[in-house]
Amino acid sequence: MNDWPDGWTDDNRGGNRYGQGSASERPESARSMPHVQRRPAPPQQRPAPPRQRPVPQQPSGYDDGSPQYDSGYNTGQVYGGGRGAGHGGDGGDRGYVQGRPGPAPDWRRRIKIGALVLVVALLAVSVGTYFWADSKLNRAVDLSKVIERPEAGKGTNYLIVGSDSREGMTSEDKKRLHTGSADGKRTDSMMILHTGDNGPTLVSLPRDSNVEIPSFIGSESGKKYPGTGKTTKLNAAYATDGPELLVRTVEFNTGLHIDHYVEIGFGGFAKIVDAIGGVELDIPKAFKDKWSGADFPAGKQTLNGQEALAFVRTRHAFTSDLDRTKNQQKFLAALASQTATFSTIINPFKLYPTMGAGLDTLIVDKDMSLWSLGKMFFAMKGVTGGDGTSMNMPISGSVGGNLVWDKAKVKQLVEQLKNDEKVTVTEN
């Protein structure tokens, strides 16, 4: 019995049954669904290979005819594919070429960067040094406590005081420097330094000057002490109530406004001299003084800290305190001249010990800035360099062992300093 529909035979199935396929060229599904047309799949296209620079012809072998090994590391061979390598580019010819020199270094740019780094470093060191030095200033003197002050004039007036303070000195230091062990402190030297447009003027005030102690307000008690009209030595003002009364007394007896106060003790003075390696001085005449320890031959010589202190303190080798003040002026000017030098400023092994030794022992007023202190120091140097004048307060005589100032000359001197005029007054 035929299981196929009418008209179908085994021949219609190609003589095969299930699993044998069809003898027709068309698939069975196409024959059963004649309205469906299958289109042949388009041929698959392969991506074009990246372009590469042709490799130069390599030698086929060594001189003896044997084949040569090709390592692929040939001079001029391209490695990497620029934009095309790994990024879908065309490969290009931007790869690194072995053996080709790189771009020349930009020396101008390197020099500019190096100079900028140097400037920034120097600026940082300078700023740091300024704040370090400024923090060392001992601003212990309050000039606002000084009453009935004269009107300020042109220029700047510094009262520079050398005290016999032994603060911070050991017993060995006192013995070596011949300072003794007296309690408290007194003024050993006093000078007015005026700076302005007509050069610096340095005026020494002898410690034995005969002056009147005016009314004043105690620096510690705040109590007002009336003036008695009594005259005494100038250094007694400092011994009575310290720097504030000394400033008040100088202003009262001269009529000159004091802008800044600077004080240094024995120990600090010697340390500064030692820090700069000594001070060269030309001593015109030999002298000795067992009290100060001075023993100097005539001629040029370099004084260390101990010798320098003996030089400025010597009194008994001279007939007058005026000779002593002249030595003090001479030495301080030489000290400033040999310290404020380019070689000291650029040498940190010399600059920092010198600044440290000086600033640690200085006592200044509350309004003193590091800039003002520097101006004072360079003005002292100018006195030695011939740009200024150094003199003693004009003296007319003495009374009871005290030196009496020449009132007429003092008045003229003060007027010239107030108006910042060239000083024409002489001490004799």
Side-chain angles (χ1 to χ4, degrees), residues 168-188:
M169 296 174 62
T170 64
S171 298
E172 181 65 25
D173 291 334
K174 295 175 184 178
K175 183 178 180 180
R176 176 175 57 87
L177 299 175
H178 298 271
T179 64
S181 300
D183 294 330
K185 60 181 182 179
R186 286 154 293 278
T187 51
D188 204 60

Side-chain angles (χ1 to χ4, degrees), residues 401-420:
N402 297 344
L403 298 174
V404 178
W405 294 350
D406 187 323
K407 292 185 179 180
K409 285 190 173 183
V410 169
K411 183 178 180 180
Q412 184 183 1
L413 173 63
V414 170
E415 285 300 316
Q416 290 177 345
L417 295 178
K418 274 187 174 182
N419 297 323
D420 195 24

